[in-house]
Structure formats: structure tokens, C-alpha cells
Amino acid sequence: MAASSGPAGVGGAGPSGFAFDSGLEIKTRSVEQTLLPLVSQITTLINHKDNTKKSDKTLQAIQRVGQAVNLAVGRFVKVGEAIANENWDLKEEINIACIEAKQAGETIAALTDISSLNHPESDGQITIFTDKTGVIKAARLLLSSVTKVLLLADRVVIKQIITSRNKVLATMERLEKVNSFQEFVQIFSQFGNEMVEFAHLTGDRQNDLKDEKKKAKMAAARAVLEKCTMMLLTASKTCLRHPNCESAHKNKEGVFDRMKVALDKVIEIVTDCKPSGETDISSVSIFTGIKEFKMNIEALLENLYFQSKENLSATLEVILERTEDFTDSAYTSHEHRERILELSTQARLELQQLLSVWIQSQSKKTKSIAEELELAVLKISHSLKELKKELHRTATQLTADLLKYHADHVVLKALKLTGVEGNLEGLAEYACKLSEQKEQLVEVCRLLRHISGTEPLEITCVHAEETFQVTGQQIISAAETLTLHPSSKIAKENLDVFCEAWESQIGDMSTLLREINDVFEGRRGEKYGYLSLPKPMKNNANLKSLKPDKPDSEEQAKIAKLGLKLGLLTSDVNCEIKKWEDQENEIVRNGRNMSSMAYSLYLFTRGEGPLKTSQDLIHQLEVFAEEGLKLASSVQVFLKQLKDDDKLMLLLEINKLIPLCHQLQTVTKTPLQNQVFLKVDKCITKTRSMMAILVQLLSLCYKLLKKLQMENNRWVSVTNKDSVDGKT
């Protein structure tokens, strides 16, 4: 299964033995895939014109559509019944919906069965021509029943996630109380399997989420669980080795507490239940506030009574109060602080001017007043834009400087050294320095959150802030344990794990900074609405020509659907690769490279991952096509070792792959002016076809390699036997 915007590994492909992998998720996805063609076919029937001439061609086309609907319903019903049989508590409801769907499908098939319409004995037959209302009623019943099954299946998925979470929590409680290494190893093995299952379930749920904010929250929670699993292992082992060490217990408790919070967060997301008192982080973002304020003042040009004077003044004051996070920060330079205060004062003055003109325009409906109001809106918009620039410059420069300064991780290295030396004075000194570093990083995370520009990036900033806050304390407790037990290998390993988590988060901060810059500079504008062009004003005659060529919602949905299928295929490829004992085999290496690139393409369709622009995508596709040709060459080398009978199937798959590689190369080099979507659509479709062939090739090569090895072993065995017999 494809992972998503969380860290690699949380939602990756795992053992195929889980019932979930081959059961409910595939069935649920099948239901959704069945729904789309049903809608299209039913729409075709309902939109059929009564006055259309009843030619044989028309009659045959209508009958084919009716039969296609009925066949699709049949497949849908089988999937629904399979889900019902696995979930007895919902079986009755699902079966009723399936019966309704079946009845609706049969009705549509009967009404479109017009093969004998032109014969005299068919004069009394009820068809789509005589009873279009019947088709509409059947279509409504069908879509209603399909929707019911989808909702019920969704409940099943949520129940599975909750059940899986409860299993994980129960095993964690046992791990907390364990007193022996042998018992710990047994329970942790069970815990690992349960975490893998939970990762699969939540990974697929994350892929299905439409809300980008929820998706980012899920990714953050799953990232915590992934990293904490290794921390839990070493922290627990350290506690078992040093049961009387207070710092070791403190370290372990911190890991368990964080994992429990992350597990609860996942359940909040999937059940859509926000605990009372939780604040919406978007309310503290300066950029979000500026965006809403600009929308409100621009709305005044269309409706003078859209807002009250008090509301506009209060909204601006809230925004400017939040800039105090920058001006009050000890890490903000004097120049940046002065510039932010200057722009804040300017925004207040220009709002007063706007309010004055606005009040005049309510009583004087003249052209000059309208133009003056428009000018006042433009002026304050410009001031706020300059303020955004200054805040962005302040936060990103501070972050870049801080990351550069701490890139060599001097403090972490010193803590490790003082630990193995048992130097308590050195520990106190460097623990203090790490605490200072932690406060600096937490501060820049808060500033970055203000200027991130999108809700998903805001959530990533919050996640980074929490990670530094918690991990910093845990590193100090792990270092204290090592200092008290300097010869303990497990205590040293434990400190290494927490230091690696810190270093990993520092690396993630560099990625986060780059993404925030991309959004601010418009390199990801097609993904986020806040970068859309301002509303046209009266004199903006040329505004239309500046509008970028961006895909509409239907095109975006198509690309997302293609990307999802590509993501699923990468999981299939990874499953095939895992079967191979020789992971350095050339075929495996080529396949792994193709899978990795295909996964980057999948992330691109979601606006995530390393590929940021269309040019990045095209370059990646060129490399992907080259890797496909390398794979074909590797398989052809392998072919030479096979018998003629075994070569045929492999040759068939190679002969499919090579033309697709050449076609993809051609498409990437073909210029399509103002048709970026068309080019991306073609490329991803070709890539998906190549990945499907790759799955077949890897499976075939693996089976044939095993067969070849068995034959070789048999030959060696016979040869050895003959040799022994000869000696005798």
C-alpha cells in the first residue's frame, strides 16, 4: 500500500498475511471504483432524448449501456456481500442496500431491453422510451444503495482502526509492566506486528482523506509513532538493564506518553471528534489573518455594507498583535524589528484612510469616490503584502542561520562523550546548551507557523515544535542515564537513538523551510488557494490574460485518481521485490529504482514530495523511462539462462515494456504549449502501464529463477551421486 505524506515506512507495504490487505480495503476500493462508471452510464441513459430517431444503432447502444449498468451492479453487489459476510453487526444493513441495488440494476436492464422493440408483438412493452421516469427512479435507488454501502464500509474501516489502536494500547500496557528481557522480547514482537497492521490501516485512511488539514495531522501522528517505536525499544531495554535508574524510567515514560497521545490523535482524525477546548491552529496564523482581511476589504468594492467599521479595525489589530511574536523575540534582529513596527503603523494609518473614504462612499455614490475607495483598498493591500514579505524574510533568515549553525551537532557529540566518560559536570553544561538550542528551534517553529501560508504546513510546524520540545528533554534524560552508567552499551545505544531523532528533525526543518519558500514564491500555487489572483477590479481589463493555465477540479480529480493507482502499484512492486533473496540482483535494483521514482510521481500528484515543478516531473519521467530500458536489458540477460519454453512469457512482457519506454520518452520531449495537464496525464498513464508490467516481470523472473535454481541443485545432486558411485 502506498504511503503518503508521512515519513517513509509508516504506511509502507508489509506482510501480505494481514486480512486487511487482501480483504476489506480492496473490497471497499472496488466499490468506489465501480461507482464512477455507474454514474456515467446512468447519466447517459437519463439524458437520452425522447425524440431521437430509433435507428438500430441507437437501440443497440441503449441496450449495451443498460447491460453494462446491470453487470457493474452485479460486481458491486458481490463486493458488498463480501464486506457484509466479514462484518456481522452491519450484515443486515449492507445486504438490504445490495438487494436494492440489484433490483435497480435489473429494472434498468429490463427498461433498456429493446431488442424486440421493432417487432409487432412488442407494442405493449414498457421501455426507456415509454417510461423514462422508471429509469430515473431506478437510477436514484441504485445510487442511494451504493452510497449506503460506501458509508457502511467506511464505518467498518473506522472500527478496524479503533480495534487496532486498542490492541496496540493493550500491548503497550503489558510492555510498561514487563520485568524480564525474555518476556519483553516476546511482547515486543507482538507489539511490532500490531504496529505494522495499524500503520497499514492508517496509511490507507490517510490516502483516502480529502481534507488536506486532516491528512497533514494524520501524517504527523503516524510519524511520531514510527520514530517512537525504535525509541520505545531502546528506552525499555535500558530500564530493564538499570531498573533503579530514575532518569531511565523518566526517559521511557516520555516515549510511552507521546505514543499514547499520537494514537489518540489518529482516532480523533478518523472519527472526526475534536476534544473540547482544542484550538484551531489556523486562528493564530498571521498569513491566514491577512488573507481573510484582504478578502473582506476587497468585498467592500462590491458591497459597501458587507462589513462594519469596528469589525475591520478589530481584525487588523488581531493581526498586528500577532506580529509581536516577531518583535518580542530575542532572536529577531534590530533592523527586522524596526521594519515590522514601521509597516504595522503604516497599515493602521491606511486602514483609517480606507474607513474614512468608505464612510463617504456610503453617502456619495460618485465615480470619483468609488475610485478613491479602490485606491485605498490597493494601498492597504500593498502595505500588508510588504508586511508579509518582511515577516517571511525575518523567519526564514533566522531559521536558515540557526540550521546552519547547528548543522554539525556539536552539542549532541559532546553529550555522548561526557556520557561515556561519566562526566556529570560536563553533562550539566551541555544539557544547558541543548536546552538553549531547543528553545531557539521551538521559537523559529512558531515564527514559521505564522508565515507558512497553508494549513498543512502550519501543522508540520506545530509537529516540529512539539518534536523538539519533547525530544530535547528525552536526550537529556538518556544522557544522564549513560553518564551514571558509562560502561552500559544499551544506555549508549538509547542515547544514539534519541540523538538520531533530533538530527532527523533538523533535516526535516530544512525541507519544511524549502516548502514554505516554494509556497511564498508561488511555485506551488496550483495546489493552494491562497495564491490565487486578486479579484478583478473595474479597471483590470488585462487581468484575464495573466491567469495561469491551471487544471480545473475535474482534471485535478483525474490526476489524483491516476496517482493513487500508481501509488498502489509501487506497493505491489515492493512486495515482489521483498521476495527476492538477492537484493543486489540487477533486475531487483532496476525494479527498486523504478518503484522509488514512481512513488515520487505519486507524491507529485498530491502536491507533495521532492518534485516541485512540472520540469522536475518531466526530468524524473525521462530517468524513469531510461531505467525501464535498463530493466529490459537485465531481463534479456537473464533470458539467456532459460530454456526456450520458459522464455516465451518473459519475452511477451519485455515486448510490452520497451515500446512504452520509448513512447514515454517521446511524450516527455514533445512540447505541448498551454496543455500541461494533457502532458502530465499522458505521462502518468504510461508510467502506470509500465509499473503494471514491472509487477508481472518481477513475479515471473522470481518464479523462473527459483525453477532454475532447483534444476541446478538437482543436477549438482545427481552429479555428486554419480561421482560417489564411480568411486565405489
Side-chain angles (χ1 to χ4, degrees), residues 549 551 555-556 558-559 675-682:
D549 176 27
E555 290 172 340
Q556 287 175 332
K558 185 177 180 183
I559 288 292
Q675 296 185 49
V676 176
F677 162 75
L678 183 60
K679 189 167 184 175
V680 171
D681 179 36
K682 282 184 178 181

Side-chain angles (χ1 to χ4, degrees), residues 40-57:
S40 174
Q41 290 158 3
I42 291 166
T43 305
T44 303
L45 286 176
I46 293 173
N47 291 341
H48 174 73
K49 295 179 181 178
D50 293 329
N51 59 359
T52 304
K53 186 180 178 182
K54 301 175 189 176
S55 66
D56 287 341
K57 189 175 180 181

